[in-house]
Amino acid sequence: MDPLPTPQTQPGRDGLAALLAKPSAATVGLDFDGTLAPIVADPEQARAHPDAVPALAALAPKVASVAVITGRPAGVAVRHGGFAGVPGLEHLTVLGHYGAERWDAVTGTVTAPPPHPGVAAARAELPGVLDRAGAWHGTWIEEKGRAVAVHTRRADDPQAAFDALRGPLADLAARHGLIVEPGRLVLELRPPGMDKGVALADHVRRTGAESVLYAGDDLGDLPAFAAVDELRADGVPGLLVCSGSTEVTELAERADVVVDGPAGVVHLLRTLAAQLD
């Protein structure tokens, strides 16, 4: 049996120890893109790592809950993850659009409030904004229902296009009551008030978890890291895991454990499940 990695911080070591001591009271929270699924040029082609579902199915029955927390629509994450109808994942929850949507495997349904009207208004203006910024060529607009995202990964100079669009997209978002969430060569316009930290903290409260593990890879996961820090301060031990990449280093600097991308996350989940046998 492979050993679990040793967290590099004392709070992380305490979080792992609490999870191992009482897994039935632990919540495991996971980002999707870049954490369970490798980053690809076309987000529609993103799929969970081939070993992700077996690892989750092995771990989920041994803990209180597993929640996938993503900026994607919940239904898209379920489909791209292959999570529906899998034995062992009967109590999986997918919190889509940063928690605005909730899918649970028990009912197989998505619940959500009405969409913010600013998203459709901003989407209508996006082509003109991209054209005026000189960043139309190579950029790609992703429709997300309750949000809209502009990807620059396919541009001739992805980082330059990303940097050129930050100001114009921030102005566009502000005009329509939205915020901009930067990520790995993507800028997402979405309603304020929800983020992965809010979603994670709410899920922990719902489940009554006594410890929490959260794994993420991108800037949008920083609020979830902050939520774990707040839970720790309130006496709920937590473990922060970074799905490492060369594109974003902020999470690695905050994490208790850094693994090598989605393959490393899957290996960690599988090893954790084996330790709990």
Side-chain angles (χ1 to χ4, degrees):
M1 181 187 302
D2 291 339
L4 285 165
T6 300
Q8 59 189 359
T9 69
Q10 188 59 51
R13 291 190 286 274
D14 293 342
L16 179 58
L19 191 158
L20 293 172
K22 193 175 181 182
S24 62
T27 281
V28 176
L30 302 157
D31 170 48
F32 185 73
D33 291 284
T35 301
L36 289 177
I39 295 291
V40 294
D42 181 357
E44 286 305 306
Q45 301 305 313
R47 297 295 184 271
H49 186 283
D51 295 329
V53 167
L56 288 171
L59 177 62
K62 301 170 184 176
V63 297
S65 67
V66 174
V68 175
I69 306 175
T70 175
R72 286 182 180 268
V76 171
V78 171
R79 184 170 67 252
H80 289 194
F83 300 137
V86 177
L89 294 185
E90 291 83 1
H91 299 291
L92 175 73
T93 299
V94 176
L95 302 175
H97 284 301
Y98 303 92
E101 292 185 347
R102 183 182 184 91
W103 176 90
D104 67 86
V106 175
T107 64
T109 59
V110 175
T111 57
H116 190 291
V119 174
R123 171 63 184 88
E125 291 187 38
L126 260 180
V129 172
L130 296 179
D131 188 48
R132 289 191 296 273
W136 180 259
H137 181 68
T139 56
W140 184 74
I141 298 171
E142 181 187 5
E143 302 282 0
K144 303 182 77 171
R146 297 173 184 276
V148 61
V150 177
H151 295 260
T152 67
R153 190 173 292 276
R154 301 179 190 169
D156 292 338
D157 188 335
Q159 189 61 50
F162 178 90
D163 293 340
L165 285 172
R166 292 194 73 155
L169 291 186
D171 293 341
L172 175 64
R175 289 201 301 275
H176 296 291
L178 306 174
I179 62 171
V180 175
E181 181 78 50
R184 293 168 66 175
L185 299 177
V186 59
L187 294 158
E188 179 174 302
L189 285 70
R190 63 177 178 83
M194 287 301 297
D195 60 36
K196 292 181 182 179
V198 174
L200 178 62
D202 179 68
H203 185 73
V204 168
R205 285 192 294 270
R206 282 172 178 256
T207 60
E210 297 176 18
S211 65
V212 58
L213 178 156
Y214 184 80
D217 76 304
D218 207 347
L219 298 176
D221 296 300
L222 286 173
F225 272 37
V228 172
D229 284 338
E230 292 175 5
L231 288 165
R232 287 168 166 174
D234 290 338
V236 179
L239 178 66
L240 294 170
V241 178
C242 172
S243 174
S245 77
T246 58
E247 291 182 340
V248 175
T249 60
E250 286 89 336
L251 264 74
E253 295 165 0
R254 292 273 306 276
D256 304 308
V257 171
V258 180
V259 298
D260 186 14
V265 172
V266 168
H267 183 263
L268 174 64
L269 297 176
R270 189 169 56 235
T271 303
L272 184 58
Q275 290 277 350
L276 297 177
D277 284 337

